Amino acid sequence: MSEAEQALVGAAILDPRAYDEAADVVSVEDFAVAAHRTIWSAVSELVAQGTTPDIVTVHQRVQERGEGDAATLRYIGELSRSTPSAANARSYARIVQRESIRRSVAR
């Protein structure tokens, strides 16, 4: 599992500014881990609707979309506790983007 992906989606849940700093660098397709794609997509939808993403709103959105199995929903809570810092979101996004490009080239 990509630590940068984990840190980025966790940062977006912890601090709305983290999403703003990263959204122009990565897209949902850049995430290799399905749970991260699901969470990033939910955060993106919330932001587009003017709702602040946090552990509760993201959890609810994932459930509404029918994409969250029990493990994914637990994982959302774990992210908020394990994210090192929301301040480095743009750096995490650049790492996620580089990893995505490497995967594309390797195919």
Side-chain angles (χ1 to χ4, degrees), residues 4-104:
E5 286 188 20
Q6 185 177 15
L8 180 55
V9 294
I13 292 170
L14 288 175
D15 185 344
R17 294 171 296 190
Y19 176 83
D20 294 338
E21 291 176 16
D24 66 329
V25 177
V26 296
S27 68
V28 71
E29 293 83 17
D30 289 323
F31 292 90
V33 177
H36 297 159
R37 287 191 299 272
T38 297
I39 296 165
W40 190 258
S41 181
V43 170
S44 298
E45 288 178 10
L46 290 166
V47 170
Q49 293 176 344
T51 302
T52 301
D54 61 26
I55 188 170
V56 174
T57 59
V58 172
H59 185 275
Q60 182 65 34
R61 179 52 50 102
V62 169
Q63 281 188 312
E64 288 171 357
R65 293 172 56 180
E67 294 181 349
D69 60 12
T72 300
L73 297 174
R74 272 192 310 276
Y75 185 56
I76 292 169
E78 291 172 19
L79 285 171
S80 66
R81 292 184 297 276
S82 65
T83 299
S85 171
N88 294 319
R90 194 156 182 91
S91 296
Y92 303 148
R94 288 186 183 121
I95 294 167
V96 170
Q97 181 186 52
R98 280 194 304 268
E99 289 175 355
S100 176
I101 292 168
R102 285 187 192 126
R103 285 191 308 274
S104 295

